[in-house]
Amino acid sequence: MPFTPATADQRFVLDHIVRVADLAATERFAAASNDVVDAVLEGVGQLAAGEWAPLLRAGDTVGAKWTPEGVVMPDGFVQAYHDYVEGGWGTIGVPEAFGGQGLPFAIQTAVLDTLGSANMGFALAPTLTVGAIEALVHHGSPEQHALYLPHLATGEWTGTMNLTEPQAGSDVGALRSTATPLGDGKWSIKGTKIYISFGDHDMAPNIVHLVLARTPGAPAGTKGISLFLVPKYRLKDDGTPGDFNDVRVVSIEHKMGLHASPTCVLSFGDTDDCIGELIGGEFGGIRAMFTMMNNARLNVGLQGVQVAEAATQAAVHYALERVQSARAGSPNKASVRIVEHPDVRRMLLRMKAQTQAARALVYYAAGHVDRAALGEAGAQDRLEILTPLAKAHGTDLGNEVASLGIQVHGGMGYVEETGAAQFFRDARITPIYEGTNGIQAADLVGRKLSMANGGVFAQLIADLKADAEDPGLVTLIDACDEVGRGMASLDADDKLAASYPFLTMLSVATCGWLMERSGRVATGDDIFSTMKRAACTFYVAQIVPEALGLKAAATARADVLYSVPAEAFAV
């Protein structure tokens, strides 16, 4: 199926939601001129459409393969990744001091958006490397910066996060991997990690693993966790990969989707010869981990945008070609393209609106990463409260849109030949990893609402109220305000029981605000502006009222959830 980069919508959102011109007016991001932004969007679009999108099918049907020598990617992936590296696409958001271009995180977000829309599983490799770079920039030593960042910045080497263990999923504090000091600033690493995306592959000469482990005598729980840099190959004196570092791929998972992304079980120190370096201070692992994870959560929310974009394009392409039945009520009984049927148009417009709303939300959050880096007042607080919304709602919408894409295809969507099913299979992991969406909701009501004694939430609500015009949107914002303020008086069970519907309400209110603003500035007579206004109108008129219906669930208490014993669920 054809793929077209969503360059026009990306540029619109960068201009009107992120306000990239304001970022470019600062010394730090002065390189982000209009010409540079246009060149970046156009260039990565060519790479995505020309090399990454054609590999989508093979990534799914062939997939990454485990061998005794390591994981092997399908034909074409090594070259396509090499061209990504040679094009400098990994360097976009990396500070110039570390070999990057120093452009805004929001521009890097657009690059990953395009690559992931073309081939979501493949794009996980650079996405994870971004997280490793973040951790090293903020917590690594000058020596680690010099040795590793130039190679990670270009993408020549890839990076991973190693948190999860067989007995420790979301409960990170239960991990058992160990790090024993060797007396020369090095540590002997031993343990097993699971669900490590791109934990091994044949596209790069080295892989830099960031591994959480416990040192001798470490306190129990998360307080006793440290972070270690563990390369697949130890570095020689000249900084090039040398001896194998005793990091073995035990297996790769057989998954529902994302077959192009090898999800590895990694064993560290099988022969007691795995050497790592401490990143940051001892017991600083959780702090460093959240540096990786916070931006990673935005990038997972972005995966929702990616898969929604891809599914929408596929559905539109099919609807424009598939001819079936006469239009109801038409005197002409000739069959028409299914795009002419009202229900198909409803689905397509919903897909367009939800995709654009998710992109606006995630890019809006990404812009606040840049504003926080500039020290703009309130930007870090706004980013904190937006992060669970972007991750959870972005991925929920990716799943909804991918499911609608199958529906548009009808029976052909349920069989694999059209590729529509792949988007749904690929999307389903996104509400689960990098902290389940339930965890995001718990974070929102348990920590984010109470920031600055409720002031951060109050400021978001005030900004929404100040700009919203549609009466239904204003009503939803008022309902979010009421429910959010009422959370302060609830006990933990009641807060958590209401957390998910509340997160959805607040996400839709924020998206509605962004979409309404977008509709006001899309004043042109061109086809893009016409569709943008239609999508924004549809969103505010039809999707916003749905979220208001969640108020009952967001104000319900936990009593009914615990009104039966656990065993009753098996009845």
Side-chain angles (χ1 to χ4, degrees):
M1 69 191 75
F3 169 74
T4 303
T7 306
D9 197 49
Q10 291 171 341
R11 184 74 221 220
F12 181 94
V13 175
L14 288 171
D15 286 343
H16 300 293
I17 301 299
V18 174
R19 303 195 315 274
V20 71
D22 293 349
L23 300 178
T26 66
E27 182 179 356
R28 176 165 180 168
F29 297 126
S33 65
N34 281 332
D35 289 347
V36 167
V37 174
D38 285 340
V40 167
L41 295 181
E42 181 181 349
V44 77
Q46 291 173 353
L47 175 69
E51 296 191 54
W52 285 48
L55 297 173
L56 178 68
R57 189 70 171 158
D60 186 50
T61 57
V62 178
K65 300 294 186 184
W66 181 91
T67 75
E69 291 74 37
V71 173
V72 176
M73 297 297 291
D75 289 346
F77 276 71
V78 172
Q79 183 62 50
Y81 187 77
H82 173 79
D83 292 341
Y84 161 85
V85 173
E86 287 298 303
W89 300 110
T91 68
I92 296 293
V94 180
E96 293 179 83
F98 304 123
Q101 298 185 44
L103 291 170
F105 179 78
I107 304 300
Q108 178 179 271
T109 296
V111 167
L112 290 175
D113 183 7
T114 297
L115 293 172
S117 296
N119 196 323
M120 180 176 145
F122 193 6
L124 262 177
T127 298
L128 288 159
T129 303
V130 167
I133 291 170
E134 279 289 308
L136 276 176
V137 165
H138 289 94
H139 303 285
S141 67
E143 293 77 17
Q144 290 167 344
H145 288 170
L147 285 171
Y148 291 96
L149 283 177
H151 301 286
L152 288 169
T154 62
E156 177 192 1
W157 299 351
T158 63
T160 72
M161 293 190 294
N162 289 253
L163 287 66
T164 308
E165 298 183 4
Q167 79 292 339
S170 298
D171 183 9
V172 179
L175 68 83
R176 298 173 186 162
S177 292
T178 61
T180 305
L182 296 174
D184 57 355
K186 306 290 186 182
W187 299 74
S188 175
I189 309 297
K190 197 169 185 66
T192 300
K193 299 289 183 177
I194 62 173
Y195 300 150
I196 310 305
S197 298
F198 273 95
D200 195 64
H201 56 84
D202 58 349
M203 302 188 302
N206 210 355
I207 302 173
V208 181
H209 302 292
L210 302 190
V211 182
L212 290 179
R214 293 188 180 283
T215 54
T222 57
K223 292 181 180 179
I225 295 174
S226 302
L227 183 66
F228 295 87
L229 187 158
V230 185
K232 178 179 179 180
Y233 296 102
R234 294 196 283 270
L235 303 191
K236 297 186 288 190
D237 291 341
D238 63 0
T240 59
D243 294 336
F244 179 65
N245 198 26
D246 199 11
V247 182
R248 287 176 169 78
V249 189
V250 176
S251 64
I252 59 175
E253 303 294 348
H254 301 282
K255 309 188 299 280
M256 175 181 178
L258 281 189
H259 299 150
S261 171
T263 303
C264 300
V265 177
L266 296 182
S267 182
F268 297 85
D270 278 355
T271 62
D272 297 320
D273 193 30
C274 182
I275 309 300
E277 304 174 22
L278 188 64
I279 299 176
E282 192 173 0
F283 310 141
I286 288 297
R287 185 166 63 95
M289 180 194 74
F290 274 107
T291 299
M292 293 186 286
M293 187 165 280
N294 283 335
N295 284 4
R297 285 174 171 172
L298 295 184
N299 283 331
V300 173
L302 181 65
Q303 288 187 301
V305 180
Q306 295 164 4
V307 76
E309 179 65 43
T312 299
Q313 289 195 22
V316 169
H317 177 74
Y318 185 79
L320 290 172
E321 289 196 337
R322 173 65 166 154
V323 175
Q324 181 174 298
S325 305
R327 184 171 171 183
S330 172
N332 185 344
K333 299 306 179 184
S335 295
V336 297
R337 298 179 302 172
I338 65 171
V339 71
E340 301 300 339
H341 296 298
D343 189 56
V344 174
R345 287 210 169 201
R346 176 193 63 81
M347 290 188 287
L348 292 178
L349 192 51
R350 187 179 184 94
M351 293 171 78
K352 296 283 284 190
Q354 293 284 44
T355 301
Q356 292 180 14
R359 179 174 286 119
L361 177 62
V362 174
Y363 279 42
Y364 180 60
H368 279 80
V369 173
D370 296 314
R371 295 178 185 279
L374 293 169
E376 184 177 306
Q380 183 61 41
D381 286 343
R382 178 60 55 89
L383 174 61
E384 291 279 342
I385 200 168
L386 288 172
T387 296
L389 308 186
K391 193 281 178 183
H393 197 59
T395 57
D396 281 346
L397 294 188
N399 277 266
E400 178 191 334
V401 172
S403 180
L404 280 172
I406 294 174
Q407 193 73 18
V408 170
H409 282 79
M412 290 302 296
Y414 195 68
V415 297
E416 293 291 351
E417 282 80 354
T418 60
Q422 179 186 345
F423 299 125
F424 189 61
R425 289 186 285 101
D426 286 353
R428 193 58 191 86
I429 185 60
T430 59
I432 298 172
Y433 60 14
E434 294 301 339
T436 67
N437 286 0
I439 289 174
Q440 304 308 311
D443 178 48
L444 175 64
V445 303
R447 192 169 76 86
K448 303 302 173 59
L449 289 185
S450 61
M451 289 175 62
N453 294 317
V456 174
F457 171 67
Q459 187 59 59
L460 174 61
I461 292 294
D463 288 348
L464 302 186
K465 285 184 176 181
D467 202 29
E469 295 178 355
D470 179 81
L473 178 57
V474 172
T475 300
L476 176 60
I477 295 167
D478 286 340
C480 290
D481 188 17
E482 177 189 343
V483 175
R485 285 186 288 106
M487 288 279 180
S489 62
L490 301 182
D491 65 25
D493 280 347
D494 287 340
K495 277 185 183 179
L496 293 176
S499 61
Y500 208 101
F502 174 67
L503 178 144
T504 303
M505 288 177 65
L506 186 59
S507 298
V508 174
T510 305
C511 286
W513 171 59
L514 295 172
M515 291 291 276
E516 189 180 62
R517 285 171 53 188
S518 297
R520 287 199 294 262
V521 298
T523 56
D525 294 329
D526 57 289
I527 192 67
F528 170 79
S529 298
T530 301
M531 175 51 74
K532 173 61 77 172
R533 289 194 299 273
C536 293
T537 298
F538 182 93
Y539 191 93
V540 174
Q542 298 197 32
I543 296 174
V544 163
E546 293 174 5
L548 189 60
L550 293 172
K551 184 178 179 182
T555 52
R557 300 297 175 254
D559 324 23
V560 68
L561 306 181
Y562 293 93
S563 62
V564 294
E567 290 73 16
F569 288 100
V571 173

